[in-house]
Amino acid sequence: MLGRVLIYGALLTWAFVCLFPVYWTLTTSFKVAVDVTQGHLIPWLDFQPDWKGWRSLGLSPDTFLATSTVRDEFLARFQNSIIMSVGASLLAIAIGALAAYGLSRFDYKFLVWRNKDISFFFLSQLILPPVVLAMPFLVLYKELALLDTRIGLIAIYTLTVLPIVIWIMRDQFDAIPTELEQAAYVDGCTVCGARSCASCCRSRCPAWWRPSSCRW
């Protein structure tokens, strides 16, 4: 009983830590400058919520239906931010997963480099100060006409987070036993001789449904 209480307490504490930034951001949008600087946290107890910040963007209930160039500009920029952040995240996960899986499951040799050296090389890119790459990327993007474009920003954001994705996902793949992957493959069908995954065996072997003939 005590162990269960400790587990629930730890989960609730972790949930609070993860959700507090969201709560802080949401409540701050309803604060005035004085409430922000004084660190008030609880609405209606520490401070009185106000629509002033939302009203300045034309997003308050009394201004939402009115014409507002500020709101249109804000929503356009917000849409661009969503597209670029989601696009860069998905692209980084897709590329990083492939690289991380390869480093986790295969042994590579490039001159004197091995898998650990290659992984450290990816991670070492985070040590390099971004300001060092600012001017080269500016010249490169100018020549490629990628300045102030969604594609250009998605590419630069992907390159920024890619080392972290590879580092984290390689640890995740290392934690998965290889036996789980090998279990998805057959040793060889006694009828057609195919060595493939279960779905391929079902589609290629005429006797895939016979356990004694096709082991999948």
Side-chain angles (χ1 to χ4, degrees):
M1 182 65 180
L2 179 60
R4 182 177 299 179
V5 172
L6 292 177
I7 292 176
Y8 287 156
L11 292 176
L12 290 175
T13 302
W14 182 245
F16 173 79
V17 172
C18 294
L19 295 178
F20 181 77
V22 179
Y23 170 81
W24 175 269
T25 303
L26 183 61
T27 56
T28 301
S29 66
F30 294 98
K31 298 177 183 178
V32 295
V34 177
D35 297 326
V36 175
T37 55
Q38 293 183 357
H40 294 161
L41 294 176
I42 305 176
W44 293 287
L45 291 179
D46 290 340
F47 68 95
Q48 187 66 28
D50 191 278
W51 287 98
K52 184 176 181 180
W54 293 79
R55 189 175 296 109
S56 63
L57 295 175
L59 294 174
S60 61
D62 57 333
T63 60
F64 188 77
L65 298 179
T67 302
S68 175
T69 56
V70 177
R71 179 181 63 235
D72 296 338
E73 182 178 356
F74 169 78
L75 292 178
R77 295 182 178 183
F78 186 76
Q79 179 184 5
N80 288 334
S81 298
I82 294 296
I83 292 175
M84 289 179 292
S85 60
V86 174
S89 299
L90 295 178
L91 189 59
I93 291 175
I95 298 176
L98 297 176
Y101 184 83
L103 291 173
S104 175
R105 291 295 187 264
F106 304 100
D107 294 327
Y108 292 97
K109 179 180 178 181
F110 180 71
L111 299 179
V112 297
W113 287 21
R114 300 297 186 270
N115 286 36
K116 292 183 177 180
D117 302 317
I118 298 174
S119 298
F120 180 77
F121 170 76
F122 286 122
L123 189 60
S124 66
Q125 305 306 305
L126 302 176
I127 305 175
L128 188 66
V131 68
V132 176
L133 300 175
M135 188 59 67
F137 271 108
L138 177 62
V139 175
L140 176 63
Y141 270 47
K142 184 178 180 181
E143 294 296 327
L144 297 177
L146 291 176
L147 288 176
D148 296 328
T149 62
R150 291 178 177 176
I151 296 178
L153 289 175
I154 290 176
I156 194 67
Y157 291 156
T158 301
L159 292 175
T160 303
V161 301
L162 191 57
I164 303 177
V165 174
I166 296 175
W167 176 44
I168 294 177
M169 296 197 71
R170 186 196 173 185
D171 291 339
Q172 298 297 322
F173 285 125
D174 286 339
I176 301 176
T178 56
E179 290 78 6
L180 295 179
E181 297 179 0
Q182 294 174 355
Y185 290 82
V186 297
D187 295 331
C189 178
T190 58
V191 174
C192 64
R195 178 179 174 84
S196 58
C197 63
S199 60
C200 296
C201 186
R202 287 195 297 268
S203 62
R204 294 169 54 185
C205 177
W208 65 266
W209 51 271
R210 295 169 57 188
S212 60
S213 301
C214 185
R215 300 188 302 274
W216 59 273

